[in-house]
Amino acid sequence: IIESTFCSQCFLNYDTSVLENGVNGVPKMMDLLDEPVPGVGTYEDFNTIDWVREKSKDRDRHREIASQSKESTWAFIMSIHDAFSGWLLMLLVGLKAGALAGWIDIAAHWMTDLKEGVCLSGFWFNHEHCCWNSKETTFQERDKCPNWKSWAELLIGYNNGPLAYIMNYLMYVCWALFFSFLAVSLVRSFAPYACGSGIPEIKTILSGFIIRGYLGKWTLMIKTITLVLAVSSGLSLGKEGPLVHVACCCGNILCHLFTKYRKNEAKRREVLSAAAAVGVSVAFGAPIGGVLFSLEEVSYYFPLKTLWRSFFAALVAAFTLRSINPFGNSRLVLFYVEFHSPWHLVELVPFVLLGIFGGIWGAFFIRANIAWCRRRKTTRLGQYPVLEVLVVTAITAVLAFPNSYTRMSTSELISELFNDCGLLDSSQLCNYSNVSDIKLSGNTLPDRPASHDVYMAMWQLALALIFKMLITVVTFGMKIPSGLFIPSMAVGAIAGRLLGVGMEQLAYYHHDWVIFKGWCSPGADCITPGLYAMVGAAACLGGVTRMTVSLVVIMFELTGGLEYIVPLMAATMTSKWVADALGREGIYEAHIRLNGYPFLEPKEEFSHKTLAMDVMRPRRSDPPVSIITQDGMSVEEVEALIADTSYSGFPVVVSQESQRLVGFVLRRDLVVSIENARQRQEGVVSTSRIFFTEYTPPQPPNCPPPLKLRGIMDLSPFTVTDHTPMDIVVDIFRKLGLRQCLVTHNGRLLGIITKKDILKHMAQIANRDPDSILFN
């Protein structure tokens, strides 16, 4: 203490002006943070950002802009531009994502029809557009026109008979294989990050993780092209999930146009949260549902300002998509339907049954898909991604073609299943037996007995249900863009339509039963099978993803029927309860854990009685924690410490003896600052001392100039005591977005807890492999 006091007194009496001009000819010491050093404050790949530091940087920037705006007119204009730049960025993200989604929809529709034939009046027309202006099309055969030729008609001259069927079959399989081969080859060669859904990685990135290139321009370009190819190949996947990835790529690229988003990782994640809402908005034509999806499912930090901007961006994207009109029906989605008959209270029972089915299917699918993906990662299967895609495509195409409900695109299938049979419907599902004395009420028809065609359609749908359930398990997770929303909805829609037709026939033949008596009279339209399909679709999608509020709103926006919210809520909640009883994780959380991403799930409760000292490193048998002293280490010693360890940062203490905590410095900032000092500061050598103190003591005459790096040190690192309960530590990490927390005892440094340590501890408690957490 006496020595310390003496040194302090000597320093106070020392003329600080000497330090500015140099001591005995020694070059003056620079504070390297007086000017911004390129690279300081940035992060390496596969590291977690420091949310607290990023928010602090943004607050400092705001204060500087506010103070400068009062000094000149130009500064005031620049402050207005800074405030408006967020809204301008949202406008650009909405326009770009909406335009890309419109192009994807048009291209996918055309290429899907290309597997069955080609339009002679213009090969760029799909089947529907080709026959729009044809005057030779009849109502009964509205899908046939002279301009549209199947491949059998083009190659052998006719479209009937076994040879024509085989020719069409062969061309269907060949086109499917060509599309999928092109998709997997492009992904493998140019953008490996373009595969999969992208939502698990988006969730991880929004939680603060850095994955360089995942939201880059190459990923955007390749994912947009290969998404069209993958959907057109007929595989059991959808484009809705990957559209979230596409929109986030647009948001990330456009962030580089604005300095405050380019240089601040936390601000950029606010834009990415809004971009996720845009992705769902253009995928389903549901702007409000998109905002709620971002809030409920993917975002980690979602302030009120982001809510407003997400809504604006989703609105712009939906308007852009509506202007493009990709489906040609003035709607934002392919399967827009309107139901005319109300539902009855008794029908809540089958709706709940559909919820139970959705929950069981969701839990089964997650377990089966994760098991298959783990097998892909741990066996030789993962070494042949192209072969795997081609084999799955061949199996899918060969089994799908004979059944008309699996041959058509999944979106068209859902559209047909959602459809409420009216007077103008010629679908096999609506080909009921004619009954005399039918009383029409608008476009609605009363319940009628099912004909042979309807029963045949039911058998085909039952086979399609089994096929979709099995093939989706192996398709999701392959090295091509693959979404899960549409296949899950298809499974639920098929199950719902089967149940709906069963209920309809039950009501027709047994309208005098107690459950139907009083509300279902003969000749009335009691049951709407399309509504059951819609409820089933919501139940299965909820069981797989565990979405609730956002899912109900998305389904409501799809159908436009406010009165059907209660059935949707009942099925969705039942589905979630059943699925949670069988397994707590949704499909995206399960894939995050499978890939080992450091994602701290906000919904997961930590209920174990452990303390910070049980989780911190170093453990009792480990060597002591690597530290830096505030004024006692040379450049050579610090560089040796960096070379010998792989830690992301180091605590700074007063001295080796006292271990009193001063602050925390990041590894990357140290490396960049030392390299910058060697280039910019004269005389810096390996023996130069590094100081983290506020004032640097006088140096002997012949010593090389020191480095003052106090500016890169975090002077207020988050600390907890060794007896802090871990549930509090976990809450601190979740709510503040920390990357590390230091553990002290009476102010003395004991150890450090990182997000990875917490995840490993939670995995160990849950009897999982703690080494499955792969990244720093």
Side-chain angles (χ1 to χ4, degrees):
I1 294 173
I2 294 171
E3 182 182 350
S4 169
T5 307
F6 175 75
C7 289
S8 300
Q9 290 296 327
C10 289
F11 181 71
L12 289 172
N13 295 328
Y14 191 81
D15 185 0
T16 55
S17 64
V18 178
L19 290 175
E20 299 297 325
N21 300 318
V23 181
N24 295 332
V26 177
K28 74 170 185 175
M29 183 187 66
M30 296 171 59
D31 185 346
L32 294 175
L33 273 297
D34 287 342
E35 299 176 13
V37 176
V40 169
T42 59
Y43 302 93
E44 295 178 347
D45 201 8
F46 299 122
N47 271 259
T48 304
I49 70 168
D50 190 334
W51 283 92
V52 178
R53 182 170 74 165
E54 297 298 309
K55 296 303 292 182
S56 177
K57 278 166 54 178
D58 187 57
R59 281 194 296 271
D60 292 342
R61 189 187 62 83
H62 267 294
R63 290 191 195 102
E64 186 179 352
I65 289 173
S67 63
Q68 290 178 352
S69 65
K70 300 173 185 176
E71 297 173 1
S72 67
T73 306
W74 175 248
F76 178 71
I77 293 171
M78 291 306 294
S79 69
I80 294 175
H81 171 266
D82 181 78
F84 182 68
S85 61
W87 295 99
L88 179 60
L89 179 56
M90 291 299 102
L91 176 69
L92 295 175
V93 171
L95 290 171
K96 186 172 182 179
L100 280 175
W103 179 84
I104 288 170
D105 287 333
I106 293 169
H109 201 174
W110 169 65
M111 291 176 69
T112 299
D113 288 348
L114 193 63
K115 291 185 298 183
E116 299 187 15
V118 69
C119 185
L120 298 182
S121 58
F123 74 92
W124 57 87
F125 289 128
N126 61 40
H127 193 167
E128 185 181 3
H129 291 176
C130 186
C131 296
W132 258 358
N133 297 324
S134 177
K135 296 179 180 177
E136 302 174 39
T137 305
T138 62
F139 177 76
Q140 287 76 15
E141 296 183 332
R142 66 183 74 179
D143 59 335
K144 295 181 181 178
C145 63
N147 289 333
W148 180 263
K149 297 290 184 184
S150 68
W151 290 109
E153 287 179 284
L154 285 172
L155 296 174
I156 61 175
Y158 56 90
N159 197 36
N160 296 316
L163 184 60
Y165 182 83
I166 292 171
M167 184 60 64
N168 285 328
Y169 201 155
L170 190 62
M171 289 302 296
Y172 180 92
V173 174
C174 288
W175 276 112
L177 287 170
F178 174 70
F179 290 153
S180 63
F181 174 73
L182 205 55
V184 70
S185 300
L186 286 171
V187 167
R188 194 180 182 197
S189 302
F190 297 104
Y193 282 154
C195 67
S197 164
I199 293 181
E201 287 76 13
I202 295 296
K203 288 187 70 167
T204 309
I205 290 170
L206 288 177
S207 74
F209 197 55
I210 302 280
I211 307 179
R212 302 263 181 235
Y214 197 82
L215 301 176
K217 56 183 182 296
W218 268 110
T219 304
L220 173 62
M221 191 190 325
I222 298 301
K223 185 134 194 172
T224 304
I225 296 169
T226 55
L227 181 55
V228 174
L229 292 166
V231 171
S232 305
S233 68
L235 286 164
S236 184
L237 48 83
K239 62 182 182 297
E240 282 66 23
L243 275 174
V244 175
H245 187 188
V246 167
C248 286
C249 287
C250 294
N252 184 62
I253 292 167
L254 291 169
C255 275
H256 288 82
L257 301 176
F258 301 90
T259 307
K260 75 173 181 179
Y261 294 106
R262 182 175 68 247
K263 293 187 175 181
N264 193 297
E265 293 288 349
K267 295 293 290 180
R268 189 182 303 186
R269 273 151 183 77
E270 292 180 19
V271 176
L272 296 180
S273 291
V278 169
V280 175
S281 174
V282 295
F284 291 105
I288 303 171
V291 175
L292 291 175
F293 172 82
S294 180
L295 174 61
E296 179 184 0
E297 190 62 28
V298 297
S299 292
Y300 201 84
Y301 173 67
F302 203 84
L304 195 58
K305 179 173 58 178
T306 305
L307 179 70
W308 302 332
R309 289 180 177 174
S310 300
F311 181 73
F312 174 68
L315 188 66
V316 171
F319 174 76
T320 306
L321 188 63
R322 171 68 179 78
S323 303
I324 295 172
N325 194 16
F327 303 116
N329 58 3
S330 299
R331 303 289 187 188
L332 290 176
V333 287
L334 185 61
F335 38 91
Y336 185 93
V337 290
E338 288 183 280
F339 301 126
H340 305 284
S341 303
W343 62 278
H344 196 268
L345 197 61
V346 175
E347 291 183 278
L348 277 178
V349 175
F351 293 152
V352 168
L353 289 176
L354 284 173
I356 294 171
F357 170 78
I360 295 172
W361 149 248
F364 160 76
F365 173 80
I366 291 168
R367 291 192 180 186
N369 180 252
I370 292 299
W372 181 259
C373 289
R374 185 173 285 112
R375 183 177 180 82
R376 182 187 288 127
K377 287 171 73 76
T378 56
T379 62
R380 294 184 63 187
L381 177 66
Q383 299 173 14
Y384 306 101
V386 177
L387 182 62
E388 181 193 10
V389 169
L390 290 177
V391 169
V392 173
T393 304
I395 293 171
T396 303
V398 168
L399 295 178
F401 186 85
N403 188 336
S404 60
Y405 293 110
T406 51
R407 186 193 315 167
M408 66 175 68
S409 72
T410 314
S411 296
E412 289 179 14
L413 171 62
I414 295 173
S415 179
E416 187 157 333
L417 294 170
F418 279 12
N419 184 37
D420 185 16
C421 291
L423 286 169
L424 302 179
D425 288 304
S426 60
S427 165
Q428 188 179 1
L429 274 172
C430 297
N431 193 13
Y432 287 83
S433 299
N434 291 322
V435 180
S436 58
D437 301 327
I438 288 181
K439 295 179 182 179
L440 300 178
S441 175
N443 189 40
T444 62
L445 291 170
D447 291 343
R448 294 164 292 159
S451 66
H452 178 264
D453 284 350
V454 175
Y455 285 122
M456 281 298 297
M458 292 299 102
W459 277 109
Q460 286 180 304
L461 282 176
L463 292 173
L465 177 64
I466 298 169
F467 171 72
K468 288 281 184 186
M469 290 172 71
L470 296 177
I471 203 70
T472 306
V473 169
V474 296
T475 304
F476 186 70
M478 292 196 304
K479 296 301 179 185
I480 52 172
S482 55
L484 194 59
F485 281 29
I486 289 297
S488 300
M489 289 177 68
V491 168
I494 294 171
R497 188 76 186 204
L498 291 171
L499 181 61
V501 173
M503 286 291 295
E504 183 186 45
Q505 295 305 300
L506 200 64
Y508 177 79
Y509 287 110
H510 303 284
H511 54 79
D512 55 343
W513 281 11
V514 175
I515 58 172
F516 300 117
K517 208 166 187 178
W519 66 278
C520 186
S521 56
D525 183 17
C526 305
I527 305 293
T528 306
L531 173 61
Y532 284 72
M534 186 182 76
V535 172
C540 281
L541 185 53
V544 171
T545 63
R546 311 298 162 85
M547 293 158 55
T548 52
V549 180
S550 55
L551 176 58
V552 171
V553 174
I554 287 171
M555 298 304 293
F556 155 63
E557 289 187 88
L558 283 180
T559 59
L562 188 63
E563 61 184 310
Y564 303 110
I565 281 185
V566 173
L568 287 170
M569 290 173 69
T572 304
M573 285 311 303
T574 306
S575 159
K576 178 172 172 56
W577 288 334
V578 172
D580 281 347
L582 299 174
R584 296 293 299 176
E585 290 180 321
I587 184 66
Y588 301 129
E589 290 78 19
H591 272 272
I592 285 172
R593 185 162 59 81
L594 177 68
N595 292 326
Y597 297 135
F599 181 74
L600 202 53
E601 177 57 58
K603 303 168 190 172
E604 191 175 348
E605 293 292 331
F606 187 90
S607 56
H608 300 276
K609 291 185 177 181
T610 50
L611 302 176
M613 62 189 301
D614 301 323
V615 181
M616 73 174 190
R617 290 182 297 163
R619 305 290 164 79
R620 287 185 176 87
S621 57
D622 294 343
V625 64
S626 299
I627 56 170
I628 294 175
T629 55
Q630 66 175 352
D631 59 359
M633 296 184 75
S634 65
V635 170
E636 184 179 24
E637 289 170 335
V638 171
E639 286 180 332
L641 179 65
I642 292 170
D644 294 340
T645 61
S646 59
Y647 305 132
S648 296
F650 304 95
V652 180
V653 297
V654 173
S655 65
Q656 291 281 359
E657 294 75 24
S658 74
Q659 294 283 310
R660 298 284 177 182
L661 183 65
V662 177
F664 190 85
V665 63
L666 292 177
R667 173 196 191 91
R668 181 177 176 82
D669 290 353
L670 264 179
V671 171
V672 170
S673 298
I674 292 173
E675 287 179 356
N676 182 71
R678 287 184 184 276
Q679 295 171 5
R680 292 174 53 193
Q681 186 174 340
E682 184 184 346
V684 172
V685 292
S686 297
T687 56
S688 299
R689 311 301 293 178
I690 294 179
F691 291 96
F692 292 95
T693 52
E694 189 172 359
Y695 300 105
T696 308
Q699 300 297 304
N702 297 323
C703 281
L707 274 70
K708 184 180 177 184
L709 299 184
R710 185 180 177 83
I712 67 169
M713 183 174 65
D714 181 3
L715 293 169
S716 55
F718 275 86
T719 59
V720 295
T721 67
D722 50 344
H723 285 86
T724 305
M726 271 308 295
D727 54 343
I728 294 177
V729 176
V730 171
D731 272 346
I732 291 172
F733 268 81
R734 280 177 180 154
K735 292 172 181 175
L736 294 178
L738 300 185
R739 54 184 289 165
Q740 73 275 319
C741 182
L742 301 174
V743 183
T744 62
H745 179 75
N746 294 335
R748 193 170 184 272
L749 178 69
L750 288 185
I752 185 170
I753 299 175
T754 64
K755 185 190 283 189
K756 187 174 179 180
D757 294 327
I758 291 178
L759 289 165
K760 283 192 168 189
H761 179 65
M762 294 171 77
Q764 207 165 7
I765 289 173
N767 293 322
R768 300 195 303 261
D769 179 17
D771 292 327
S772 62
I773 313 299
L774 301 178
F775 299 105
N776 288 327

